[in-house]
């Protein structure tokens, strides 16, 4: 049983706390046959700790940009979970420098924060990051045929664009097209709480 009271000094995301169990329910089947997962943009590390503890058959590798690594490292170090090594630096705008490949990739609430050219870079990196039969799981809000799935998502998109014009909720059709260019086909689109989706892609090369 993982307790978080001793992490009161670390950044905390209530959204991560709220969605970790619904996401886990999907990942239990999506990553059932995987062994090595790379989480891109691990943020506070709450997901990494929860999923690694709940999915002991997986080697869960957290990663993020340099600015987030100190706090992320602290949370993971304190969790002392055997299948959760210390996080590694991974900036999507740079070439990956991993010495291994992964049969699962997970990322949550990142595509709407990345500028669109960086989203494109993320997908182009998958060739270097993944095994030929990898599973890719992407969590977050999406538009369908240019339309938001809720008024709250439309308001969220506006707030993102006010922060940075390059941010915004992405069109699922464009995301699926980028995935297909790397050999990943969408096999499941799960409706999640709070007007989010979890997209499950399988690669077959």
């Amino acid at each position: 049983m993982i307790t978080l009271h001793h992490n009161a000094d670390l950044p905390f995301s209530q959204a991560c706390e709220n969605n970790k169990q619904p996401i886990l329910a999907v990942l239990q089947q999506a990553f059932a046959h995987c062994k090595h997962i790379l989480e891109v943009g691990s943020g506070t590390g709450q997901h990494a700790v929860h999923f690694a503890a709940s999915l002991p058959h997986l080697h869960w590798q957290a990663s993020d940009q340099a600015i987030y690594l100190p706090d992320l490292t602290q949370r993971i170090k304190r969790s002392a979970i055997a299948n959760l090594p210390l996080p590694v630096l991974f900036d999507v705008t740079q070439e990956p420098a991993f010495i291994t490949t992964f049969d699962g990739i997970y990322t949550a609430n990142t595509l709407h924060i990345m500028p669109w050219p960086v989203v494109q870079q993320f997908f182009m990196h998958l060739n270097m990051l993944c095994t030929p039969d990898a599973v890719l799981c992407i969590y977050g809000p999406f538009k369908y045929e240019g339309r938001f799935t809720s008024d709250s998502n439309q308001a969220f998109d506006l707030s993102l664009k006010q922060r940075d014009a390059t941010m915004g909720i992405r069109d699922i059709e464009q995301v699926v097209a980028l995935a297909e260019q790397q050999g990943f086909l969408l096999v499941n689109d799960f409706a999640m709480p709070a007007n989010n989706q979890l997209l499950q892609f399988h690669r077959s090369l």
Side-chain angles (χ1 to χ4, degrees):
M1 182 70 178
I2 304 300
T3 56
L4 298 176
H5 65 272
H6 61 299
N7 291 326
D9 59 319
L10 296 178
F12 177 83
S13 164
Q14 189 58 51
C16 281
E17 205 61 22
N18 294 346
N19 64 32
K20 67 184 185 182
Q21 202 57 36
I23 294 174
L24 175 62
V26 173
L27 298 187
Q28 282 171 326
Q29 62 85 12
F31 290 153
H33 302 293
C34 296
K35 292 191 173 101
H36 295 93
I37 307 299
L38 174 66
E39 180 181 6
V40 178
S42 298
T44 65
Q46 289 162 252
H47 277 178
V49 168
H50 186 66
F51 299 156
S54 305
L55 301 167
H57 73 285
L58 296 177
H59 179 278
W60 192 280
Q61 180 61 69
S63 73
D64 216 318
Q65 300 172 65
I67 189 172
Y68 301 112
L69 274 186
D71 288 329
L72 176 60
T73 300
Q74 277 302 312
R75 184 181 297 277
I76 287 177
K77 193 179 288 185
R78 293 176 196 179
S79 74
I81 298 171
N83 58 323
L84 182 62
L86 293 181
V88 294
L89 174 65
F90 180 37
D91 184 330
V92 176
T93 65
Q94 308 295 321
E95 289 291 301
F98 295 99
I99 57 173
T100 185
T101 53
F102 301 88
D103 56 5
I105 303 282
Y106 168 76
T107 192
N109 290 323
T110 54
L111 299 195
H112 56 266
I113 301 297
M114 300 175 187
W116 183 247
V118 179
V119 175
Q120 293 173 307
Q121 283 180 287
F122 165 71
F123 281 94
M124 286 188 287
H125 290 331
L126 293 179
N127 264 330
M128 286 177 279
L129 295 172
C130 291
T131 61
D133 58 349
V135 176
L136 168 66
C137 289
I138 302 175
Y139 174 86
F142 294 94
K143 290 186 289 184
Y144 291 77
E145 298 180 341
R147 292 193 289 273
F148 297 98
T149 60
S150 68
D151 290 343
S152 61
N153 277 2
Q154 187 167 7
F156 178 51
D157 181 73
L158 181 60
S159 71
L160 287 169
K161 286 182 165 59
Q162 287 171 342
R163 273 171 56 195
D164 186 329
T166 66
M167 295 181 181
I169 293 178
R170 305 306 175 190
D171 288 291
I172 190 170
E173 294 83 6
Q174 292 183 314
V175 171
V176 168
L178 289 179
E180 288 179 348
Q181 288 169 17
Q182 306 303 325
F184 285 89
L185 298 180
L186 183 66
V187 294
N188 281 306
D189 176 1
F190 296 97
M192 305 295 285
N195 304 303
N196 287 301
Q197 309 295 131
L198 200 155
L199 309 181
Q200 178 186 351
F201 299 86
H202 283 191
R203 191 184 205 193
S204 182
L205 292 180

